[in-house]
Amino acid sequence: MTLDTSACAAVSEARLQQRHDRLAAIGATPRGGVNRLALTDTDANAQAMLVDWALQRGFRCSRDEIGNLYIRREGTQSGLDPVFMGSHLDTQPTGGRFDGAYGVLAGFEVLEALADLDRPTRRPVEVVAWTNEEGSRFQPGCMGSAAFTGVFPLERMLAAKDRDGITAGEALAAIGRAMPLPARPMASVRPAAYLEAHIEQGPRLEAAGATIGVVSGIQGIRRLAVSVHGEEAHAGTTPRAVRRDAVSAAVAAIAALEALLHDTDDVVRFTVGRMEVAPNSPNTVPSRVDFSIDLRHPDADTLRTLGDRIEAVACEAARSRRCTAAVTQVSHVQPTVFDDATVALVREATRLLGFPSLEMPSGAGHDAMYLSRICPTAMVFVPCLGGVSHNEAESATASDLAAGTRVLAAALVALADA
Amino acid sequence: MTLDTSACAAVSEARLQQRHDRLAAIGATPRGGVNRLALTDTDANAQAMLVDWALQRGFRCSRDEIGNLYIRREGTQSGLDPVFMGSHLDTQPTGGRFDGAYGVLAGFEVLEALADLDRPTRRPVEVVAWTNEEGSRFQPGCMGSAAFTGVFPLERMLAAKDRDGITAGEALAAIGRAMPLPARPMASVRPAAYLEAHIEQGPRLEAAGATIGVVSGIQGIRRLAVSVHGEEAHAGTTPRAVRRDAVSAAVAAIAALEALLHDTDDVVRFTVGRMEVAPNSPNTVPSRVDFSIDLRHPDADTLRTLGDRIEAVACEAARSRRCTAAVTQVSHVQPTVFDDATVALVREATRLLGFPSLEMPSGAGHDAMYLSRICPTAMVFVPCLGGVSHNEAESATASDLAAGTRVLAAALVALADA
């Protein structure tokens, strides 16, 4: 395999870092992280900054029906399907500076490097900022890439409500009014390939002393919502024997699920990240608890089998406290295996550039998960400090970020000239 | 003991019911309950309605520094300490029509009955609506009676913040501007005695077929706040072995506390009614859980011993999940024993009026708990349907409510003429 690595040298570590600094200022938290929930004004401000940079370089910007933002550098054969690079600009409520932002800025840096070199590509190249990857404000996550790839219907995504009852469609319309962009229907373009750079969000690269993770695929994810129903009662007068205490039932259910999903090799990922209690008053026996379940595993069969046992275990635990539980599945994404040839491009670029690397699956979900269903897809990981992510302390070195961008550049050029 | 029961006949069941209906319309919920959190506009509107009724009857109204509302019918010897009746107008977020409202309206009905009869009393008689008994919006509860009786400093009560960061003092000032009333410093008056009518909020009267509960005292209450601290991490990449999952730790802590506080005779009341998770995102390992503990027992030693063991058990459970827990005590109210002579008045009035009755302690806390520290105090209970309270389905019959008010009238006249 022969790869043109000339664009790699034009990747600017300093410029990339400066872009990260400026983007991280939008939604910056006092503890050094970022709070940039999807489709908020803050998210829109981040998009506006990126659009501003793009227009200065003569790239074209457009937006589709779910709010995905496209930045396009034309190819010599503009009628060909473009190659996409990208990730997302939204963050967790107390998120970091790199999760998502890096993939967008690395893609943008590749566009700039090509522009600096006046290096034409045969295919157009586009950087995409996918809408609401995190799924913090609106569920499910990866909303933009799910709608784009047809995994979920657009209408369902637009109807998703945040905790204040605002729909994604309403939030999107407000952003459209505040920052109008040319509209491009998502059905009007199909990518020839997709590359996504991302921090690892786990400890493996750092532990191995590797600079680049050549990502083989993504473990599967099932997201479920559990509603536990009991009955309100006075905390002072109601004997335990007649209580229908939803917190007690939820505690029993989560404890039972922890036992169910405990594996000695510690591969299963089980998280209850969200919990809402009603009426949430200290002296009322609670009548309702809603909690989220995030279950992940690299093996499709294991993920299905374990996930399928959750409802019975949760319901039985709730019954033991005279409550009921309703379990609904929010999403079930099978483990993803990336395209061999595209992963090989990333592997070869890494080898040519001389970076120590590790072949690995991704523990986290990414937009690449959905893109891989419609086009050849691969990802490039770089290490993050202590494997910490979804945390204001998230950190990555400028040198590693630039290294990942150089690998991205080499793979991109190969795909864009094909 | 000779009691004058002439005022009892002037108590109007129809008027009392009408007043309940009108008051319940303020903050009415679709499911037939009431949402009238302390010091909200809704709470102020309820007070305004009561003031309006009072002024129509020529009673005088005033308000003190913590927002307690006083409605006064003068005595023949106006310089004597007044006898108080009362309860509270605030409710739980999904509360009922009778918890609190009944005690205020029963007291008001007694004032009206006396006025209808032109029946003078030697002492002035006042109906008090105590501020924030429920403790749902601001903690601790019984704020108005706690400040009035000097149990907690006024300044601490005024500085208490709701979940939006609004202090009780700020909320109070807004009500004062919207509905000015003559100010009466709380230090300027001491009650000669206090009577509080209330629904039982438990199942005992109904089960016994009794109309009146002659209340001997109130079980003790300890309220604690537990903060569990872990660390945010990515739900997909972070192995269980290195997680510091605050929900998992809180679940372990609550399960351990349930085991600690489990008594076979079912006398201990242990409730986790409130729980807040941060950052509360489905795909982030949670870094913090705050939960409330409400612990009650009629025996002072048992309450102290059990309560004192909570911190160690919660901390050990949190440690087992690599988290930490901080336990702080919000309040510790000893079990209350009401004044023998005042309880005897209620007992005798009940006997003279011929109502079937039960002697009982109160499972719920009431403003009477604090009033009993500064003056002879007693309570009158009436049954509520199924013992259900702190619930929109809370219900009591007009006939029982009137019966309780007649007992209140007889006891009040005896105290006010003394």
Side-chain angles (χ1 to χ4, degrees):
Chain A
M1 197 183 302
T2 323
L3 289 182
D4 174 1
T5 56
S6 59
C8 304
V11 164
S12 163
E13 180 178 319
R15 179 168 58 190
L16 183 64
Q17 184 165 27
Q18 188 191 40
R19 297 263 195 247
H20 273 101
D21 290 344
R22 291 190 57 191
L23 195 62
I26 302 181
T29 62
R31 290 169 59 205
V34 178
N35 176 3
R36 198 162 57 218
L37 291 180
L39 303 183
T40 55
D41 289 350
T42 314
D43 188 17
N45 288 340
Q47 290 182 37
M49 179 179 277
L50 189 65
V51 166
D52 190 42
W53 293 337
L55 297 178
Q56 286 172 29
R57 293 303 302 241
F59 306 143
R60 274 170 40 214
C61 300
S62 61
R63 188 191 278 135
D64 70 14
E65 300 92 321
I66 194 68
N68 295 320
L69 172 67
Y70 304 91
I71 296 172
R72 180 180 177 104
R73 181 171 185 261
E74 211 45 79
T76 54
Q77 300 189 28
S78 65
L80 291 179
D81 288 341
V83 177
F84 277 8
M85 296 178 287
S87 194
H88 59 96
L89 294 176
D90 67 310
T91 72
Q92 295 284 321
T94 51
R97 299 158 52 101
F98 303 101
D99 177 1
Y102 172 53
V104 174
L105 294 179
F108 192 77
E109 179 60 33
V110 172
L111 281 202
E112 291 204 275
L114 292 171
D116 289 344
L117 296 171
D118 279 328
R119 166 67 158 89
T121 55
R122 188 167 161 264
R123 293 179 180 276
V125 178
E126 300 195 358
V127 175
V128 192
W130 302 105
T131 295
N132 184 35
E133 192 270 352
E134 295 292 357
S136 282
R137 181 179 175 198
F138 299 103
Q139 285 80 45
C142 292
M143 190 174 267
S145 52
F148 181 84
T149 56
V151 171
F152 294 125
L154 174 65
E155 295 66 33
R156 178 180 153 196
M157 304 289 99
L158 293 174
K161 286 183 182 173
D162 71 7
R163 268 173 266 179
D164 297 325
I166 299 169
T167 65
E170 288 162 357
L172 202 52
I175 290 177
R177 286 190 298 272
M179 188 186 65
L181 274 183
R184 186 175 74 174
M186 53 178 71
S188 67
V189 65
R190 281 299 137 198
Y194 178 63
L195 294 176
E196 182 166 352
H198 210 284
I199 56 169
E200 180 198 347
Q201 305 183 273
R204 294 188 58 196
L205 289 177
E206 189 180 68
T211 303
I212 298 294
V214 178
V215 186
S216 55
I218 300 180
Q219 67 181 341
I221 311 181
R222 291 181 79 166
R223 293 209 168 100
L224 300 104
V226 183
S227 285
V228 178
H229 293 261
E231 188 174 41
E232 279 166 45
H234 192 291
T237 60
T238 316
R240 187 184 60 246
V242 301
R243 288 186 181 208
R244 298 180 56 219
D245 182 330
V247 159
S248 180
V251 162
I254 294 168
L257 291 172
E258 285 183 338
L260 168 71
L261 300 167
H262 191 280
D263 57 336
T264 48
D265 49 357
D266 203 358
V267 174
V268 173
R269 301 277 171 269
F270 168 65
T271 307
V272 174
R274 185 171 174 184
M275 191 176 245
E276 305 280 352
V277 176
N280 214 27
S281 180
N283 49 0
T284 299
V285 176
S287 58
R288 180 164 176 168
V289 176
D290 290 274
F291 66 87
S292 65
I293 290 176
D294 180 304
L295 178 70
R296 311 195 193 196
H297 201 277
D299 178 67
D301 285 346
T302 308
L303 182 66
R304 192 188 57 250
T305 308
L306 289 178
D308 286 352
R309 293 172 66 187
I310 285 176
E311 181 168 14
V313 170
C315 289
E316 177 52 34
R319 257 195 303 277
S320 75
R321 299 297 192 277
R322 292 166 301 282
C323 292
T324 59
V327 179
T328 54
Q329 182 160 293
V330 177
S331 59
H332 181 169
V333 182
Q334 300 293 336
T336 299
V337 180
F338 289 146
D339 176 62
D340 279 345
T342 315
V343 173
L345 277 181
V346 171
R347 184 184 302 119
E348 180 62 10
T350 304
R351 191 190 65 77
L352 285 174
L353 293 166
F355 297 123
S357 68
L358 201 66
E359 301 266 332
M360 61 187 303
S362 171
H366 297 287
D367 294 304
M369 195 164 66
Y370 291 145
L371 269 295
S372 74
R373 299 187 179 196
I374 63 161
C375 67
T377 293
M379 291 190 76
V380 179
F381 274 179
V382 296
C384 56
L385 185 69
V388 171
S389 180
H390 282 202
N391 188 308
E392 291 167 278
E394 193 180 87
S395 185
T397 69
S399 153
D400 287 344
L401 295 170
T405 307
R406 291 189 175 109
V407 170
L408 187 70
L412 180 279
V413 167
L415 292 166
D417 281 346
Chain B
M1 197 184 301
T2 323
L3 289 182
D4 174 1
T5 57
S6 59
C8 305
V11 164
S12 163
E13 180 179 318
R15 180 169 57 191
L16 183 63
Q17 183 165 27
Q18 188 190 41
R19 296 263 195 246
H20 274 100
D21 290 344
R22 290 191 58 193
L23 195 61
I26 302 181
T29 62
R31 290 169 59 204
V34 179
N35 176 3
R36 199 162 55 217
L37 291 181
L39 303 182
T40 55
D41 289 350
T42 314
D43 188 18
N45 288 340
Q47 289 182 37
M49 179 179 277
L50 190 66
V51 165
D52 189 45
W53 293 337
L55 297 178
Q56 286 173 29
R57 293 303 302 242
F59 306 144
R60 274 172 37 215
C61 299
S62 62
R63 186 190 280 135
D64 70 15
E65 300 92 322
I66 192 69
N68 296 319
L69 172 67
Y70 304 91
I71 296 171
R72 179 181 178 102
R73 181 172 185 260
E74 212 43 82
T76 54
Q77 300 190 26
S78 64
L80 291 179
D81 289 340
V83 178
F84 278 8
M85 297 177 286
S87 194
H88 58 98
L89 294 176
D90 67 310
T91 72
Q92 294 284 323
T94 51
R97 299 158 52 102
F98 303 101
D99 177 2
Y102 172 53
V104 174
L105 294 179
F108 193 78
E109 178 61 33
V110 171
L111 281 202
E112 292 204 274
L114 292 172
D116 289 344
L117 296 171
D118 280 327
R119 167 65 159 89
T121 55
R122 186 167 163 265
R123 294 179 180 275
V125 179
E126 301 196 358
V127 175
V128 192
W130 303 105
T131 294
N132 185 34
E133 193 270 350
E134 294 291 358
S136 282
R137 182 178 174 197
F138 299 103
Q139 285 81 46
C142 291
M143 189 174 268
S145 52
F148 181 84
T149 56
V151 171
F152 295 124
L154 174 64
E155 295 65 33
R156 177 178 152 195
M157 305 288 100
L158 293 175
K161 286 184 181 173
D162 70 7
R163 268 173 267 179
D164 297 325
I166 299 168
T167 66
E170 288 162 355
L172 203 53
I175 290 178
R177 286 189 298 272
M179 187 186 68
L181 274 182
R184 187 174 74 174
M186 53 178 72
S188 68
V189 65
R190 282 299 133 194
Y194 178 63
L195 295 175
E196 182 166 352
H198 211 284
I199 56 168
E200 179 198 348
Q201 305 183 272
R204 294 189 57 195
L205 290 177
E206 189 181 68
T211 304
I212 299 293
V214 178
V215 185
S216 55
I218 300 180
Q219 67 181 341
I221 311 181
R222 291 181 80 166
R223 293 209 169 101
L224 300 104
V226 183
S227 285
V228 178
H229 292 260
E231 188 175 40
E232 281 167 43
H234 192 290
T237 60
T238 316
R240 187 185 61 246
V242 299
R243 289 187 180 207
R244 299 180 56 218
D245 181 331
V247 159
S248 180
V251 162
I254 294 169
L257 291 172
E258 284 183 338
L260 168 72
L261 300 167
H262 190 282
D263 58 335
T264 48
D265 50 357
D266 203 358
V267 174
V268 174
R269 300 278 171 268
F270 167 65
T271 308
V272 175
R274 185 171 173 182
M275 190 175 248
E276 304 281 354
V277 176
N280 214 29
S281 180
N283 48 359
T284 299
V285 175
S287 57
R288 180 164 175 166
V289 176
D290 290 273
F291 66 87
S292 65
I293 291 177
D294 180 304
L295 178 70
R296 311 195 194 198
H297 201 277
D299 178 66
D301 286 345
T302 308
L303 182 65
R304 192 187 58 252
T305 307
L306 289 178
D308 286 352
R309 293 172 65 187
I310 284 176
E311 182 169 13
V313 170
C315 289
E316 177 51 35
R319 257 195 303 277
S320 75
R321 297 296 192 278
R322 291 166 302 283
C323 292
T324 58
V327 178
T328 53
Q329 183 160 291
V330 177
S331 59
H332 182 170
V333 182
Q334 300 293 336
T336 300
V337 180
F338 289 145
D339 175 63
D340 279 346
T342 315
V343 173
L345 277 181
V346 171
R347 185 184 301 118
E348 180 63 8
T350 304
R351 193 190 63 77
L352 285 174
L353 293 165
F355 297 124
S357 69
L358 202 65
E359 302 265 333
M360 61 188 302
S362 171
H366 298 287
D367 294 303
M369 196 164 66
Y370 291 145
L371 269 295
S372 74
R373 301 187 179 194
I374 62 162
C375 68
T377 292
M379 290 190 76
V380 179
F381 274 178
V382 296
C384 56
L385 186 69
V388 171
S389 180
H390 282 201
N391 187 306
E392 291 167 277
E394 194 179 87
S395 184
T397 69
S399 153
D400 287 344
L401 295 170
T405 307
R406 291 188 175 109
V407 170
L408 186 70
L412 179 280
V413 167
L415 292 166
D417 282 347

